[in-house]
Amino acid sequence: MREADRDTLTQRTAEALVQTRRAVALTGAGVSIESGIPPFRGPGGLWEKMDPMEVAHIDAFRRDPEKVWKLLIEGMQAVLSVARPNAGHVGLARLEQLGYLQSVITQNVDGLHQAAGSRDVIEFHGTFAWQRCQNCGSRCKTGQVDLSRIPPRCSCGGIYRPDCVFFGEMIPPQHLARAHQLVARCDVLLVVGTSATVQPAAMMPLLAKESGARVIEINPEPTPLTGRVSDYFIQGGAGAVFNDILVCVEDFHAPGAHRHAPR
Ligand code: OAD
């Protein structure tokens, strides 16, 4: 993508955000790559090194929780515990603060949107910040779970698992319903750092499009949405793109800027 094209799309995105005030973001692993968290697919992706059906399916966890804890969960916790928000997370939080973004629907379990200051975050695939007992269902903060024995156990004797969605499990119905509602009503859907391959998150951009929203994709690589569903494709890393979008948005937002704000 030529710089000029990217500048134009960045400007148009900022204009759309300022004009409509009803934008929602759908994010994926790509938004956290610049925080040091590897993605699932593509170069360096987790699923290149291990088979998700062996380590991230609920049946695999039920069959051998110790194996899933040792192969997947412990490693992910170690990476997540030191990760900090990057400019992509911060940009989305700032847009919410300015009143130009309603909510973030994230497929990520890392909590970095909230750490950056986003307040309305739907954790579509749950979170690693909490553990849930497989037996009694009680929840406990991950930092308070005794990890000296793997798999860790609840006081009832049941095994703890991250409060996330494994393959083979349903998205929590309240999250699915709220995400549907937001996406069906938004004017702009920012689709950031997702390969858009895992359902039902991957159908959100289609739903937005069918409901009349502008779909704006931010990703260094094209995805199945690019050129089909996305109205704009801004090619680049989330951090740099959001820095640019914020410069334009803050420009419109500044006192007196209404004279120049797009109509
Ligand atoms: P993927 O790993 O499938 O895709 C990551 C996307 O991030 C790719 O499209 C990359 O091109 C893009 N990317 C790379 N660097 C980036 C950067 N600096 N800025 C922005 N984007 C960048 O991740 P997801 O689409 O989130 O589910 O994967 C969806 C689900 O698959 C995950 O939630 C997880 C996984 O299996 C479960 O575990 C249930």
Side-chain angles (χ1 to χ4, degrees):
M1 173 180 270
R2 294 201 325 263
E3 275 305 307
D5 295 341
R6 185 166 139 172
D7 287 350
T8 306
L9 292 180
T10 304
Q11 179 83 12
R12 282 191 198 158
T13 298
E15 286 174 6
L17 290 168
V18 171
Q19 271 178 340
T20 65
R21 288 183 176 261
R22 257 206 328 209
V24 170
L26 171 70
T27 69
V31 78
S32 294
I33 287 179
E34 292 163 45
S35 295
I37 303 175
F40 296 98
R41 298 171 188 79
L46 210 53
W47 303 153
E48 244 180 16
K49 300 186 191 86
M50 45 186 109
D51 177 356
M53 294 305 123
E54 289 289 317
V55 294
H57 197 286
I58 185 59
D59 292 343
F61 187 82
R62 288 203 186 106
R63 227 176 9 249
D64 194 345
E66 183 181 346
K67 176 177 160 189
V68 172
W69 263 95
K70 290 199 164 148
L71 285 180
L72 179 73
I73 304 171
E74 280 193 308
M76 272 181 78
Q77 304 247 111
V79 173
L80 300 192
S81 66
V82 293
R84 297 289 171 263
N86 65 59
H89 302 106
V90 171
L92 285 163
R94 179 76 183 136
L95 286 175
E96 182 185 344
Q97 195 184 30
L98 291 170
Y100 298 133
L101 185 75
Q102 288 188 327
S103 314
V104 176
I105 303 164
T106 188
Q107 297 165 85
N108 301 342
V109 296
D110 54 34
L112 291 181
H113 286 299
Q114 294 93 323
S118 285
R119 293 162 72 97
D120 191 6
V121 181
I122 299 170
E123 294 180 306
F124 209 68
H125 290 164
T127 176
F128 261 49
W130 289 81
Q131 301 292 322
R132 191 171 81 234
C133 174
Q134 277 279 93
N135 181 44
C136 72
S138 69
R139 289 167 88 236
C140 182
K141 278 200 165 165
T142 297
Q144 288 164 7
V145 168
D146 176 10
L147 296 175
S148 61
R149 190 172 55 153
I150 296 297
R153 286 183 185 270
C154 172
S155 53
C156 80
I159 290 170
Y160 273 127
R161 48 158 297 172
D163 197 11
C164 66
V165 176
F166 281 120
F167 283 109
E169 292 188 305
M170 306 277 285
I171 305 296
Q174 72 277 18
H175 291 173
L176 190 57
R178 176 128 200 276
H180 261 272
Q181 193 186 46
L182 282 165
V183 164
R185 291 184 185 164
C186 71
D187 295 315
V188 174
L189 182 70
L190 301 174
V191 182
V192 191
T194 176
S195 61
T197 48
V198 174
Q199 294 296 356
M203 73 177 183
M204 294 294 158
L206 272 102
L207 177 60
K209 179 90 173 171
E210 280 168 6
S211 309
R214 217 171 312 179
V215 177
I216 301 176
E217 206 183 354
I218 297 161
N219 198 312
E221 302 294 332
T223 74
L225 303 175
T226 314
R228 297 196 182 112
V229 177
S230 307
D231 294 285
Y232 309 157
F233 172 62
I234 307 184
Q235 190 156 24
V241 172
F242 274 100
N243 278 340
D244 292 348
I245 290 174
L246 255 297
V247 168
C248 298
V249 165
E250 302 263 11
D251 211 24
F252 293 137
H253 188 80
H258 59 277
R259 288 193 305 277
H260 313 293
R263 287 278 165 252

